[in-house]
Amino acid sequence: MSGSNSSDASFAHAASQPPDAPDGAHPLGLTVHSLPAAGGAMAAVQQSRQGRWKMLAVFLVCAAPVIASYFTYYVLRPEGRRNFGELIDPQRAMPAGLAATGLDGTTGRLDQLQGQWLLVSVAPGACAAPCQNHLYLQRQLRESLGKDKDRLDWVWLVTDATAPPPEIQPGLQKAQVLRVDAQALAGWLAPAAGHAISDHLYVVDPMGHWMMRFPASLDAAGAAKAKRDLERLMRASASWDQPGRSSGTP
């Protein structure tokens, strides 16, 4: 029995030892690494989520003005009861390639006025009292916009070959005065029923779309209401429209 016990003990000892590897190689050993604590893993996940939320918040802060301006201008347009001017729906694009000539004989195209808000009047060159009143109100409305006045041009479109009266020409230095074909112009701008095209002031956006018409025979009281409309347009487009002309003048 003692011999048997001794033999069993030797066998158990041998079985507990790794077998000799051939050619002196050592058997592979397994290393067990401890797993990270559950609390640390959760903290890492939370930090990752917080980082993504912060990035999203920064993006929204940067994009909010642009989104708000487009939403205000294209979706939440002022209702008729708030607007003094009449919104044109659908808007009418400026005629492409329509010839325009300055008072000094310089030739160009009407669509070169794009890139700027336009406040437009239309009248023959003789410019009777209603025409002169429009020119005065155009200048006053532009000046009343303060820091935004450089985003609006006041434009007189002359529909014949008559020279403007000499006494009004000094006051036109900051205006865009252009001769255009009356028939071609009538395919773009249009008066309200029962009125002539020269009875109104028209608002054109920087993309060249006629989008608003002020009531006929505008007076000082009406001009104050027109000013509020223009101020709303300037605020709604502040993020995407910049002062100055992008495409030059005729």
Side-chain angles (χ1 to χ4, degrees):
M1 290 295 294
S2 61
S4 176
N5 289 339
S6 175
S7 176
D8 291 341
S10 298
F11 177 80
H13 176 74
S16 66
Q17 302 299 316
D20 293 335
D23 301 326
H26 296 285
L28 293 175
L30 296 178
T31 303
V32 178
H33 297 279
S34 59
L35 294 173
M42 290 300 295
V45 171
Q46 291 177 353
Q47 288 179 354
S48 178
R49 289 177 178 174
Q50 290 175 355
R52 286 195 294 267
W53 280 112
K54 288 179 180 178
M55 290 181 62
L56 179 60
V58 170
F59 171 78
L60 291 176
V61 168
C62 295
V66 177
I67 295 172
S69 70
Y70 275 92
F71 186 77
T72 300
Y73 185 67
Y74 290 104
V75 181
L76 297 181
R77 290 189 173 189
E79 298 177 7
R81 59 186 175 82
R82 294 186 58 201
N83 259 17
F84 176 67
E86 177 186 356
L87 289 173
I88 306 305
D89 188 19
Q91 299 177 3
R92 296 189 186 181
M94 184 180 289
L98 178 60
T101 306
L103 294 181
D104 60 357
T106 303
T107 59
R109 303 186 318 274
L110 186 64
D111 56 17
Q112 288 178 273
L113 291 176
Q114 292 181 202
Q116 194 91 328
W117 286 96
L118 307 177
L119 182 59
V120 180
S121 63
V122 181
C127 197
C131 165
Q132 294 186 30
N133 180 62
H134 274 168
L135 293 175
Y136 170 77
L137 292 177
Q138 285 174 277
R139 180 178 61 188
Q140 295 302 105
L141 285 168
R142 181 179 182 272
E143 293 298 321
S144 72
L145 295 177
K147 64 181 179 62
D148 287 326
K149 70 178 183 179
D150 290 335
R151 295 169 55 199
L152 178 77
D153 279 355
W154 59 294
V155 180
W156 175 21
L157 299 180
V158 182
T159 53
D160 61 13
T162 305
E167 62 269 20
I168 73 169
Q169 292 191 26
L172 299 175
Q173 294 179 2
K174 294 185 178 180
Q176 299 285 341
V177 184
L178 299 170
R179 299 185 191 279
V180 295
D181 179 75
Q183 185 174 357
L185 186 63
W188 178 40
L189 304 178
H195 291 279
I197 193 172
S198 59
D199 290 342
H200 301 275
L201 292 181
Y202 306 87
V203 180
V204 179
D205 71 18
M207 284 75 74
H209 300 124
W210 169 39
M211 51 81 61
M212 183 178 285
R213 176 178 59 209
F214 288 126
S217 305
L218 197 66
D219 57 13
K225 298 176 182 178
K227 175 189 173 184
R228 289 196 290 270
D229 284 353
L230 292 174
E231 288 173 338
R232 291 190 191 108
L233 291 171
M234 296 300 108
R235 287 196 299 270
S237 62
S239 67
W240 54 267
D241 173 52
Q242 300 298 322
R245 182 172 300 286
S246 62
S247 57
T249 56

